[in-house]
Amino acid sequence: MEAGNIEKWTDTSSMGDSGESSCDVKSADQLFELAEQYKSGTGVPRNVKKAVELYKLAAEGGSTLAKACIYYSGACGEKNWEKAFKLWKSADKQDDAPPLAANYLGRCYEYGKGTEIDIDRAVEKYKKAARMGSKEAYVNLGRCYERGVGVDVDRDKALECYSKAADKKDVEGTHNLARCHEEGIGTDVDARKAFELYVENAQTDHPLAWYSLGRCHENGIGTDVDAQKAFHCYESAAQRYYPAAQYDLGRCYESGIGVRQNTAEARRWNLKAARHGEKRAQVKIASGYFEKGDKDSMTEAMRWYEKAAEQGSTEAMEGLKLCCLKLGTRDAAVKAFQVFEQAVVKGFSAAIPHLGDCYYYGIGTDKDWKKRFDVYEKGALNGQADALCQYNYAACFELGEGTSKDY
């Protein structure tokens, strides 16, 4: 659907006195498609508020997918992942099932939203949606190949998936393709190519694109260092509620990068970023509580470290482990174990040695050297493992811990 048709599809004059929409199923489906475009900023300026309005209209018109999105996000005040999961599952079973149904199902299975975590089924659904042409599914599948989530790490396939999403003008896909060129994921490092892709992405006015440009200008990635341009890019993204940009905007105020130092503004933006889920901001807040050292502060530090560790922050995992040891309670140990376990499932390799230690010493779970060995083996064989994990895997064979001795 073209963005120019928005007034046609958001005209509420067709609603009867009861408030129910008389739009047919076809127009409801089109409303849902447009809502998705506004949510992602694909082909139109990103506008979450407008997306929510369109989801509601589409739901009133009978769109099952729109109803599911509303339940999933809590846009109408009631967040209900179980209802969202059931609706997407029902839609996915239809002969003419839209690819987005399978993609959303994949996210439910991957993150345990409305159902149990099932990584294999998540990947299966992403692959199904990708075969049907879903650009969002290509992004999710690329992430799985990049991190080894439910599949072996394959950076060439990750690059291929991101490229297909970028070909479909997906903002996140284009961003990840640029990042591949920046970091050498599945291809040679090419900072200039990365910068060009980030500039292209910025034409969408999406906050992720502005944030990426800010990084380039601050660090000289494919362009000259320009602190003022970096600040303005971060500011543009931060005002559009992008958490990573909010954190870096706070950092600019804290250190005087492209702007005059302002401690109050630095704290304000850092807190915004943490509340919106930015792991670096969460670690910063957690560290502040940890330094105080008393029990209540340690508990609060653990809460913030937990949020960041769930997103793969290595520093947060270390902090979480220290809080667990400082508090010395069974509840703290169990919570740390659960966070490390889920982080490994999500493909965050930094959690592997921590989960291994939990099984080795019985932290938050029973001692189980066999499970410890299995964790290290899985990480080593699918390419997730770092040097410490590889060392511990080899040590298991040397000492016969969890497996037979094999020199």
Side-chain angles (χ1 to χ4, degrees), residues 20-172:
E20 294 182 356
S21 173
S22 62
C23 62
D24 58 21
V25 174
K26 180 180 179 182
S27 62
D29 289 343
Q30 290 174 313
L31 280 168
F32 173 75
E33 290 174 13
L34 189 55
E36 287 286 297
Q37 289 176 17
Y38 272 106
K39 185 184 76 171
S40 64
T42 303
V44 293
R46 187 171 184 265
N47 189 324
V48 176
K49 183 177 179 180
K50 175 63 71 175
V52 170
E53 292 173 356
L54 290 166
Y55 280 136
K56 290 177 181 178
L57 284 172
E60 290 167 1
S63 169
T64 299
L65 293 178
K67 290 177 184 177
C69 286
I70 289 172
Y71 279 127
Y72 189 83
S73 65
C76 288
E78 180 190 0
K79 184 177 286 189
N80 192 318
W81 292 327
E82 287 76 16
K83 285 185 178 179
F85 173 75
K86 288 178 182 178
L87 287 169
W88 280 322
K89 191 172 184 180
S90 175
D92 186 53
K93 289 179 179 178
Q94 304 303 314
D95 292 337
D96 58 346
L100 277 173
N103 182 64
Y104 276 122
L105 264 185
R107 293 187 65 82
C108 288
Y109 282 124
E110 182 177 359
Y111 297 106
K113 304 295 188 183
T115 186
E116 295 294 320
I117 289 178
D118 189 331
I119 300 299
D120 290 338
R121 295 198 74 177
V123 173
E124 173 191 320
K125 292 301 178 182
Y126 290 148
K127 287 182 176 179
K128 176 182 177 180
R131 287 194 299 270
M132 298 169 72
S134 168
K135 58 182 184 287
E136 295 87 355
Y138 275 121
V139 172
N140 287 324
L141 197 55
R143 176 174 46 76
C144 290
Y145 281 120
E146 183 181 349
R147 294 181 182 173
V149 178
V151 294
D152 292 338
V153 170
D154 191 326
R155 291 178 174 82
D156 290 338
K157 285 187 177 180
L159 177 71
E160 180 184 346
C161 288
Y162 294 147
S163 296
K164 288 182 177 179
D167 288 343
K168 293 176 177 292
K169 305 303 179 184
D170 182 81
V171 173
E172 190 175 356

Side-chain angles (χ1 to χ4, degrees), residues 70-290:
I70 289 172
Y71 279 127
Y72 189 83
S73 65
C76 288
E78 180 190 0
K79 184 177 286 189
N80 192 318
W81 292 327
E82 287 76 16
K83 285 185 178 179
F85 173 75
K86 288 178 182 178
L87 287 169
W88 280 322
K89 191 172 184 180
S90 175
D92 186 53
K93 289 179 179 178
Q94 304 303 314
D95 292 337
D96 58 346
L100 277 173
N103 182 64
Y104 276 122
L105 264 185
R107 293 187 65 82
C108 288
Y109 282 124
E110 182 177 359
Y111 297 106
K113 304 295 188 183
T115 186
E116 295 294 320
I117 289 178
D118 189 331
I119 300 299
D120 290 338
R121 295 198 74 177
V123 173
E124 173 191 320
K125 292 301 178 182
Y126 290 148
K127 287 182 176 179
K128 176 182 177 180
R131 287 194 299 270
M132 298 169 72
S134 168
K135 58 182 184 287
E136 295 87 355
Y138 275 121
V139 172
N140 287 324
L141 197 55
R143 176 174 46 76
C144 290
Y145 281 120
E146 183 181 349
R147 294 181 182 173
V149 178
V151 294
D152 292 338
V153 170
D154 191 326
R155 291 178 174 82
D156 290 338
K157 285 187 177 180
L159 177 71
E160 180 184 346
C161 288
Y162 294 147
S163 296
K164 288 182 177 179
D167 288 343
K168 293 176 177 292
K169 305 303 179 184
D170 182 81
V171 173
E172 190 175 356
T174 303
H175 167 81
N176 285 339
L177 179 60
R179 187 170 53 80
C180 286
H181 286 290
E182 179 186 342
E183 300 175 13
I185 300 172
T187 186
D188 294 332
V189 172
D190 189 337
R192 187 64 192 174
K193 176 66 175 177
F195 177 70
E196 290 171 355
L197 285 167
Y198 288 137
V199 170
E200 176 187 327
N201 225 14
Q203 305 308 310
T204 65
D205 203 32
H206 193 285
L208 173 60
W210 282 113
Y211 171 69
S212 302
L213 274 185
R215 286 196 311 104
C216 290
H217 287 303
E218 182 182 3
N219 301 297
I221 301 170
T223 187
D224 295 332
V225 171
D226 191 321
Q228 287 190 333
K229 282 186 178 179
F231 171 79
H232 289 304
C233 286
Y234 290 146
E235 185 178 42
S236 180
Q239 290 173 344
R240 291 169 171 81
Y241 306 100
Y242 193 69
Q246 291 175 333
Y247 170 80
D248 282 317
L249 184 62
R251 185 171 53 78
C252 287
Y253 276 117
E254 182 178 25
S255 303
I257 301 171
V259 69
R260 197 170 188 171
Q261 280 184 300
N262 188 322
T263 302
E265 280 295 284
R267 289 175 178 170
R268 186 172 76 89
W269 283 106
N270 189 75
L271 184 57
K272 278 179 177 284
R275 287 174 173 169
H276 291 151
E278 169 53 40
K279 60 186 178 183
R280 293 173 298 169
Q282 291 168 344
V283 168
K284 193 178 184 71
I285 290 176
S287 299
Y289 280 113
F290 185 86

Side-chain angles (χ1 to χ4, degrees), residues 297-316:
S297 295
M298 204 61 62
T299 300
E300 190 66 8
M302 186 165 181
R303 184 174 74 86
W304 284 106
Y305 278 136
E306 179 188 333
K307 292 176 182 292
E310 287 172 347
Q311 300 180 70
S313 168
T314 302
E315 189 176 352

